[in-house]
Amino acid sequence: MSTQSFAELGLDASVLAAVSAVGYETPSPIQAQAIPILLKGENLLGVAQTGTGKTAAFALPLLSRIDASSNDTQILVLTPTRELAIQVAEAFNTYANHFKNFNVLPIYGGQDFYPQLKALKRGAQVIVGTPGRTLDHLRRGTLKLNNLKAMILDEADEMLRMGFIDDVETIIAETPADCQRALFSATMPAPIRKVAQKYLSNAQEVKIESATRTVERIEQFVLPVYAERKLDALTRILEVEPFDAAIIFVRTKAETVALAEKMAARGHAVSPLNGDINQRQREQTVEDLKRGKKDIIIATDVAARGLDVPRITHVINYDVPYDTEAYIHRVGRTGRAGRTGKAILLVTPRERSWLKTLERATNSPMKDYQLPSPVALQKMREEQFESQLLGFTEDRRLGKAIALLDDIAQRNEMDMAMVAGALAAWMETAQPGALPLEQPAALPVPVPGARRSRDRHHRPGGERRGHRPGFKKGGASRGKPPARGGKRPPRQSDAKR
Ligand code: AMP
């Protein structure tokens, strides 16, 4: 992670305010490198994958240089798919949240021309388009690029793979000669290099170094999961993993707090750790973790820097790290003091390309993490319930409780099984999920190769399908410790958010 702050990078004040509102703590490495170059108006060649924070790396500096009083199209971003176009447009909207007058418009195939024409007529300072549709509008004269200040080619290698490279070149040739240009690509195949040489004169090249380092004594696992199922996956991991203490990494300060609240609601002893937390509080949190008053910490990379708590048996990467350095640092929070540790990485389909990079950097392949089947999970929950129940058979209140229940049973002509059943139903009503009554549903797991269908981009032919309008700005108590599984609390519904 970079030690620089966003404020030091020279971004426009309203852009900075928006960044701080989304809760980004520090610039990711690609941002720290690219932002100063783009702010100077220079051309840039960025070797960066999805997940490195590349969208903000170009959106923040370009927004800082925009003339918000003019409705002319000043920035054009080309993306391979409509999903990515929508996502990038949403990012621009977020970062321009403090602008008084701001319009971004995604344009892509599959959507009717008419609403796009209307929106284009109204004017949008930023256009995010797929190559085919962008070219259509240029040819019809409905998109004018004469006042364009900057153009970005995002995921250039994907555009090449999808056969858009000629369209891309035609579009670049239509942009003003003095227009700033940047190209981002995960790989740099020869045709992309050629485009860069031809159209990005004197481009500065930035890339994320991937230092190779072996991660010893740490077993590394990966769990492919749909983005919207990450919370369910984490809940199950914490349910089945026999952890002592765990650290869970997320990307933003806001997420440390939000996720800590969700985990606390599931009965875990958990604290957030982020850069907003003052030194005294931070020391207290670390001390609580060391002493076992807390078992889970939800942290950002910055906040976890140098954290050394031998009790940490598990590192869970809830959000993927920005670069291999950050990954190595994260997993290094376990396996301390000669112990062994386990690291589990949650990867959504769109982040899958990260895997290979990480494996290369750490010199070791990651094993597939196996979540238990619903049947196995149910069996485990029943066993744990039983062991928790048995934990109360020596409770000092047992004598009085039995006398009370016996009396009720006799007067109402019930047997004790009926009384126990009624009590259990009561417990379940008071705390839904406390009893393992229903078999849990299987967690849908993305299958390798099917990544293009559900997640944000990479849908071949995506340009031709679908509609999407443009944007306008506008603790439970614990019984006896469970027989196995980590700090399992009485269960709440997995699906609860
Ligand atoms: P990207 O690589 O552009 O697809 O970004 C990946 C994710 O990282 C997005 O969800 C961004 O909101 C998030 N992100 C980008 N920059 C930062 C940052 N400096 N701090 C925290 N999260 C970030």
Side-chain angles (χ1 to χ4, degrees):
M1 289 300 292
S2 151
T3 47
Q4 235 177 350
S5 70
F6 274 108
E8 287 167 306
L9 290 175
L11 294 166
D12 176 80
S14 56
V15 172
L16 260 186
V19 166
S20 125
V22 261
Y24 297 172
E25 210 158 45
T26 42
S28 70
I30 196 80
Q31 290 164 1
Q33 293 178 64
I35 290 173
I37 296 169
L38 291 176
L39 275 177
K40 276 191 262 170
E42 293 175 9
N43 289 344
L44 181 122
L45 192 60
V47 187
Q49 278 142 325
T50 294
T52 51
K54 67 181 165 57
T55 314
F58 62 78
L60 301 178
L62 296 186
L63 279 173
S64 296
R65 302 183 65 228
I66 214 169
D67 176 3
S69 65
S70 156
N71 275 345
D72 287 347
T73 297
Q74 299 165 50
I75 297 171
L76 172 69
V77 183
L78 291 183
T79 68
T81 63
R82 73 178 174 160
E83 287 86 353
L84 185 56
I86 290 166
Q87 186 146 342
V88 169
E90 278 169 353
F92 267 97
N93 241 347
T94 305
Y95 304 139
N97 200 24
H98 289 63
F99 285 22
K100 282 199 189 72
N101 170 42
F102 180 73
N103 281 298
V104 52
L105 182 71
I107 52 174
Y108 43 82
Q111 194 193 29
D112 286 346
F113 260 92
Y114 184 67
Q116 288 182 359
L117 289 179
K118 248 175 72 181
L120 280 168
K121 237 191 199 129
R122 268 199 309 269
Q125 291 111 330
V126 180
I127 303 279
V128 188
T130 49
R133 187 53 71 98
T134 304
L135 196 54
D136 282 349
H137 279 291
L138 271 177
R139 288 193 172 135
R140 286 168 179 239
T142 42
L143 172 64
K144 299 206 171 55
L145 298 179
N146 33 334
N147 287 322
L148 200 71
K149 286 187 175 159
M151 108 166 270
I152 305 288
L153 307 178
D154 197 10
E155 303 200 350
D157 48 356
E158 275 295 297
M159 294 203 272
L160 173 73
R161 202 185 60 75
M162 293 171 73
F164 290 145
I165 204 70
D166 292 342
D167 287 356
V168 169
E169 281 208 55
T170 313
I171 298 168
I172 305 179
E174 295 287 320
T175 58
D178 61 350
C179 162
Q180 180 180 18
R181 295 186 182 129
L183 182 155
F184 286 88
S185 197
T187 55
M188 281 292 161
I192 298 292
R193 281 237 170 252
K194 237 176 82 194
V195 169
Q197 273 157 9
K198 195 160 163 199
Y199 298 102
L200 276 73
S201 51
N202 302 321
Q204 305 265 5
E205 191 164 333
V206 299
K207 64 172 162 214
I208 301 190
E209 297 297 336
S210 42
T212 305
R213 220 169 313 150
T214 338
V215 184
E216 283 162 23
R217 292 196 308 272
I218 299 164
E219 264 197 304
Q220 298 176 84
F221 292 88
V222 59
L223 175 64
V225 64
Y226 290 116
E228 67 274 18
R229 292 306 191 122
K230 275 161 75 168
L231 183 62
D232 292 338
L234 176 65
T235 307
R236 289 201 181 168
I237 291 171
L238 293 178
E239 186 173 348
V240 298
E241 281 297 324
F243 68 92
D244 196 3
I247 180 160
I248 300 171
F249 282 97
V250 296
R251 287 210 155 175
T252 65
K253 292 184 262 191
E255 185 69 16
T256 62
V257 177
L259 197 57
E261 280 169 5
K262 286 172 191 149
M263 290 299 116
R266 284 159 173 72
H268 292 291
V270 51
S271 283
L273 196 67
N274 63 53
D276 276 355
I277 289 171
N278 67 39
Q279 189 57 23
R280 205 187 52 76
Q281 221 178 327
R282 181 195 148 91
E283 281 164 14
Q284 185 62 52
T285 301
V286 175
E287 198 51 35
D288 286 352
L289 190 68
K290 279 188 178 153
R291 290 175 183 273
K293 268 174 81 179
K294 293 281 154 85
D295 299 320
I296 300 176
I297 292 235
I298 319 271
T300 53
D301 290 283
V302 181
R305 212 171 261 158
L307 192 76
D308 188 4
V309 178
R311 256 191 87 218
I312 297 176
T313 49
H314 286 65
V315 169
I316 300 171
N317 287 297
Y318 187 77
D319 291 333
V320 293
Y322 304 110
D323 62 358
T324 53
E325 279 297 316
Y327 177 81
I328 289 164
H329 178 267
R330 284 178 178 194
V331 300
R333 295 314 95 205
T334 184
R336 313 292 290 178
R339 303 182 194 198
T340 54
K342 193 165 179 177
I344 303 166
L345 174 73
L346 268 50
V347 170
T348 64
R350 58 172 280 241
E351 292 159 345
R352 194 163 278 166
S353 68
W354 248 114
L355 261 192
K356 281 192 209 86
T357 314
L358 287 180
E359 286 179 339
R360 231 178 291 130
T362 55
N363 244 343
S364 53
M366 291 195 201
K367 294 181 203 143
D368 280 330
Y369 186 79
Q370 298 292 344
L371 277 175
S373 68
V375 173
L377 192 59
Q378 174 68 0
K379 188 156 182 288
M380 203 193 84
R381 288 177 177 181
E382 285 168 6
E383 284 169 7
Q384 285 176 343
F385 178 76
E386 185 177 336
S387 105
Q388 279 182 304
L389 179 79
L390 294 177
F392 281 97
T393 54
E394 282 161 28
D395 192 277
R396 60 183 172 76
R397 294 158 295 192
L398 209 66
K400 280 187 181 168
I402 290 175
L404 174 69
L405 297 175
D406 228 4
D407 181 43
I408 294 172
Q410 278 185 24
R411 282 189 293 104
N412 293 280
E413 295 180 8
M414 294 154 74
D415 62 13
M416 280 306 256
M418 174 73 94
V419 175
L423 257 187
W426 183 359
M427 184 173 159
E428 174 66 20
T429 308
Q431 195 191 327
L435 262 67
L437 298 180
E438 307 288 341
Q439 182 170 302
L443 201 67
V445 174
V447 239
R451 66 174 190 158
R452 289 161 205 282
S453 60
R454 287 233 10 200
D455 234 64
R456 75 162 188 181
H457 57 283
H458 304 300
R459 180 191 284 183
E463 244 205 285
R464 280 169 290 284
R465 268 179 277 159
H467 290 256
R468 176 94 185 224
F471 302 108
K472 261 178 66 185
K473 211 195 130 207
S477 63
R478 295 179 190 188
K480 191 176 165 185
R484 62 186 159 102
K487 304 283 167 190
R488 247 206 24 79
R491 198 174 314 99
Q492 307 222 340
S493 161
D494 270 357
K496 193 176 154 204
R497 275 156 208 260

